[in-house]
Amino acid sequence: MKEGQEKRMKLTEYQDAMTIADICEFLGISRGTAYRFIRKSKIKYMLVGREYRISKISLAEHLGLNIMKEAK
């Protein structure tokens, strides 16, 4: 890894219900972009109070990722 680069977490390392901050970190996007991505992509989410929770499985399916393969 080059100097100054951060190691990104694998999707399997996140909680099953991801927060907006988790989505931002994983995808490398801003909060505003994350909210637009969720609304326009029709990814399954739920509101807990005023905070979004996004299913890690739903995100993986939408992105075409295989979580089982990544876990190895």
Side-chain angles (χ1 to χ4, degrees):
M1 188 175 336
K2 293 181 181 178
E3 186 178 327
Q5 283 184 324
E6 294 180 26
K7 182 181 178 225
R8 284 198 177 168
M9 289 176 43
K10 292 182 178 182
L11 188 58
T12 54
E13 297 177 79
Y14 288 95
Q15 298 290 323
D16 291 336
M18 298 174 72
T19 64
I20 290 294
D22 292 336
I23 300 290
C24 292
E25 180 181 74
F26 180 70
L27 297 175
I29 59 178
S30 71
R31 291 181 65 81
T33 301
Y35 284 111
R36 279 192 306 279
F37 178 76
I38 291 165
R39 285 192 306 268
K40 290 185 178 188
S41 300
K42 305 215 180 347
I43 293 175
K44 296 175 187 173
Y45 66 88
M46 45 186 226
L47 284 170
V48 178
R50 293 175 46 190
E51 296 185 18
Y52 284 85
R53 292 291 187 268
I54 301 91
S55 163
K56 176 170 63 176
I57 294 170
S58 177
L59 178 64
E61 287 173 354
H62 181 76
L63 296 175
L65 302 175
N66 184 342
I67 292 180
M68 298 311 290
K69 181 179 175 183
E70 187 180 304
K72 293 180 181 182

